[in-house]
Amino acid sequence: MINASAALPWLMLLLVPAFWKFLLPLALVMTVGLVYIEVVKKMTVRAVCRQAGVFLVGRVRTTHNILKELIR
């Protein structure tokens, strides 16, 4: 079963046909990407976004609050 979010690029393609030269490749890439995430990686889109966030930011969170330091 494929997530329904894979249909969003195709819905955009149908609603705005003037940009079909831009949207068709974008829709194809997004659909293939979502199918890859769901079928091959066996992960949800939310889990992939979480994993990308951990990759970009890292697991260790700082306890230093910059806003509190600026107020002092």
Side-chain angles (χ1 to χ4, degrees):
M1 184 169 235
I2 297 174
N3 195 346
S5 61
L8 290 177
W10 294 104
L11 182 62
M12 288 177 51
L13 181 66
L14 292 173
L15 293 177
V16 189
F19 297 116
W20 71 270
K21 287 183 179 180
F22 172 72
L23 290 178
L24 183 61
L26 181 68
L28 288 172
V29 168
M30 289 178 70
T31 302
V32 168
L34 288 170
V35 168
Y36 173 77
I37 289 170
E38 293 285 333
V39 176
V40 177
K41 297 287 278 183
K42 294 191 180 2
M43 297 175 72
T44 63
V45 176
R46 188 172 183 173
V48 170
C49 291
R50 216 177 312 128
Q51 186 178 17
V54 168
F55 176 75
L56 293 173
V57 178
R59 290 193 183 274
V60 179
R61 300 271 174 122
T62 180
T63 58
H64 183 71
N65 193 341
I66 297 173
L67 293 176
K68 286 184 180 178
E69 291 296 324
L70 290 175
I71 292 173
R72 289 185 191 183

